[in-house]
Amino acid sequence: MQKCTSGRKRKREDTEARRVNWQSPLLWPTIETAAIRVGYGMSPIEIERELKRVDPSRFHGISAQVIGRWIDQSGTRPVWRASVLARVQKGNLPLTTATPPGILAKYPEVTKTIIEDLRALRAVGVALDTMRCRGVIIARITVSCPEIFEATAK
């Protein structure tokens, strides 16, 4: 990239944009809870404030403008747009169906138990970040099928 010599001097170097899937299963329940706490009007500014109050580390990058695009104001009361709810339902599914089976494909009961554990934690209000999820997953695999950790790639 060429440096421009004319115009205003840059104070910071350019950085890559970091995209966040706010509708992911780990983030959306917290957003929905914040909207419920804010109440009837679903004010994007109030939702943003509530999210940053509840979990500032995960939601420091969210803005009221982004939240406002998710809300359908056309009816008698504001609701989430259908397209947003569709993305929430889709979750983190891959874009293609031609993905190889996961390492837990042979252990559907373990997978089911991990999901139940994570949902139970969310139900009692635990904020799940990647480190907590990783801990739950490793603990469950260690107890239920430790041989997975000894598998080698071909």
Side-chain angles (χ1 to χ4, degrees):
M1 183 171 99
Q2 264 186 333
K3 289 217 173 207
C4 184
T5 55
S6 63
R8 185 175 163 186
K9 290 184 180 179
R10 301 271 181 185
K11 292 183 180 180
R12 295 187 193 103
E13 289 292 318
D14 289 343
T15 59
E16 290 293 319
R18 217 162 98 204
R19 308 239 186 265
V20 177
N21 178 9
W22 297 112
Q23 283 84 31
S24 77
L26 295 176
L27 298 174
W28 186 255
T30 310
I31 294 170
E32 203 148 21
T33 302
I36 291 168
R37 284 189 187 145
V38 164
Y40 176 78
M42 282 180 76
S43 163
I45 293 170
E46 292 301 317
I47 293 172
E48 176 191 7
R49 284 185 189 142
E50 179 68 15
L51 289 169
K52 289 181 179 180
R53 185 187 67 76
V54 169
D55 196 345
S57 63
R58 286 197 302 166
F59 293 103
H60 73 277
I62 199 165
S63 69
Q65 183 179 10
V66 169
I67 297 168
R69 281 187 254 138
W70 301 337
I71 300 172
D72 182 4
Q73 301 278 0
S74 63
T76 56
R77 64 181 290 219
V79 294
W80 299 117
R81 291 187 185 274
S83 59
V84 171
L85 294 176
R87 283 196 305 271
V88 170
Q89 284 287 34
K90 186 177 178 187
N92 286 334
L93 294 177
L95 299 174
T96 177
T97 57
T99 57
I103 195 163
L104 290 175
K106 298 176 190 171
Y107 306 93
E109 285 303 313
V110 175
T111 304
K112 183 179 173 188
T113 308
I114 290 170
I115 292 169
E116 288 170 358
D117 291 347
L118 293 172
R119 284 190 176 145
L121 288 171
R122 282 299 306 142
V124 296
V126 175
L128 293 176
D129 58 5
T130 53
M131 291 303 292
R132 286 189 181 116
C133 292
R134 181 178 183 268
V136 169
I137 293 167
I138 289 173
R140 180 56 66 188
I141 291 172
T142 302
V143 168
S144 301
C145 48
E147 64 274 7
I148 287 180
F149 293 121
E150 297 162 6
T152 57
K154 294 178 183 176

